[in-house]
Amino acid sequence: MVVAIVVLALLLVGACIVIALYNGELTRWAAFLGQHPQESNTRLRTALPLPGSKKVVRAINGKLDESALRERQIREDEEDLIGGLAGLSHDIRTPLAGAKGYIQLARAEDDPQEIYRYLALAEKRMGSMQTLLDQLFDYLRAPAMVEVEEMEEQDIVPLLAAVLVGNYPIFEEKGWQCDVQLENASLYARVDKQAMKRVFENIISNTLKYGGGELVISVQNDTVEFRNNLATDSAIEAGEVFNRFYRGGDSREIPGAGLGLTIVKQLCDDMGLGVEVEVLNDRFILRLSTCIAH
């Protein structure tokens, strides 16, 4: 009986010691996490080889690593955005300064024809600035452009046709042909109608701004493919075209913020569509993939 009491007492003392050790470790871990700077690379370590403590510490350090990675990505994204906005600010100031200059020349001119010419040039510069601001606005509101409750299964070919008809005068002005090849007369997908039209509008607009010739559009299986020649002075990196503010080669001379295809990618992601770009033998190829409902 006495032996049993002694053994029980020793077990109780041992349990108290273990509890005290765990309490010390937990207190130390809590203090570490409470004082740990978000940017610090210091990681938690076990002071005592208590059962299960190494697994807990590894899990905590894993979460710290994930948090540090997210923080680094956020900083890099912010730096990229600031750099892009700085370049965009320069692109906006340039046509604005030009427009102001032409207006000043018009004020100092007596010849009506010269006044008209200067004002037309000023209007053109203001149009370039408006293009930049419109793209920036579209980019900022793109995350809210896809209305989930508005998404429904529908044929997207008529939406593409409507965008092409709207841009027909620009094709005529450039003297370009648009060859539409339909293996499938219909292509169904669950999309937001307005967002889908914006996707097609941006793709066609990008082609008209930066392309170098005839546009060929083919619809087959579950894919819409856009193919056109690159402009002779273009140096497009296929892996960069969806990045914010990207404009290849000498295309910075063309009005645009380099956000058109970025918006395309974001809207396609939001609607569950696939989009990819390939540059092959001086041809720019964009493929938009979706699922046919039947």
Side-chain angles (χ1 to χ4, degrees), residues 179-192:
D179 181 11
V180 181
Q181 303 170 356
L182 295 177
E183 181 175 305
N184 303 321
S186 300
L187 182 58
Y188 285 87
R190 187 172 180 273
V191 298
D192 178 303

Side-chain angles (χ1 to χ4, degrees), residues 80-216:
D80 176 64
L81 178 59
I82 291 171
L85 289 175
L88 183 60
S89 174
H90 171 76
D91 289 344
I92 291 174
R93 288 197 304 268
T94 299
L96 180 60
K100 289 174 66 177
Y102 284 123
I103 290 173
Q104 290 172 356
L105 289 173
R107 285 177 175 173
E109 184 60 60
D110 295 325
D111 185 342
Q113 289 187 345
E114 283 298 293
I115 292 174
Y116 177 82
R117 186 173 72 87
Y118 287 139
L119 291 178
L121 290 169
E123 184 179 17
K124 183 178 179 181
R125 296 298 189 277
M126 295 296 287
S128 298
M129 187 175 66
Q130 184 67 50
T131 298
L132 294 169
L133 293 174
D134 286 345
Q135 278 200 9
L136 181 59
F137 176 72
D138 283 345
Y139 171 73
L140 292 175
R141 71 186 183 95
M145 197 177 293
V146 175
E147 299 284 351
V148 177
E149 60 273 13
E150 297 294 329
M151 289 180 63
E152 59 181 6
E153 190 176 301
Q154 57 189 296
D155 185 3
I156 65 173
V157 173
L159 303 180
L160 172 60
V163 171
L164 289 174
V165 169
N167 283 277
Y168 179 74
I170 305 178
F171 279 97
E172 271 204 326
E173 181 183 332
K174 286 179 169 286
W176 288 11
Q177 296 294 319
C178 182
D179 181 11
V180 181
Q181 303 170 356
L182 295 177
E183 181 175 305
N184 303 321
S186 300
L187 182 58
Y188 285 87
R190 187 172 180 273
V191 298
D192 178 303
K193 181 178 179 179
Q194 295 306 317
M196 194 70 241
K197 288 181 70 174
R198 171 58 65 183
V199 166
F200 287 139
E201 184 67 54
N202 282 14
I203 291 172
I204 299 302
S205 175
N206 185 78
T207 297
L208 290 168
K209 283 181 182 177
Y210 306 116
E214 178 187 35
L215 173 63
V216 178

Side-chain angles (χ1 to χ4, degrees), residues 258-284:
L259 292 170
L261 292 185
T262 305
I263 295 170
V264 166
K265 182 68 166 64
Q266 184 164 347
L267 294 180
C268 285
D269 287 347
D270 290 345
M271 291 188 289
L273 306 177
V275 61
E276 63 178 12
V277 162
E278 179 182 10
V279 177
L280 183 64
N281 298 328
D282 295 327
R283 297 273 285 177
F284 184 85

Side-chain angles (χ1 to χ4, degrees), residues 233-267:
D233 57 354
S234 293
I236 302 294
E237 294 290 338
E240 302 289 332
V241 297
F242 296 121
N243 292 343
R244 285 182 310 205
F245 308 113
Y246 176 77
R247 283 180 282 173
D250 295 330
S251 57
R252 296 195 70 88
E253 300 300 321
I254 302 172
L259 292 170
L261 292 185
T262 305
I263 295 170
V264 166
K265 182 68 166 64
Q266 184 164 347
L267 294 180

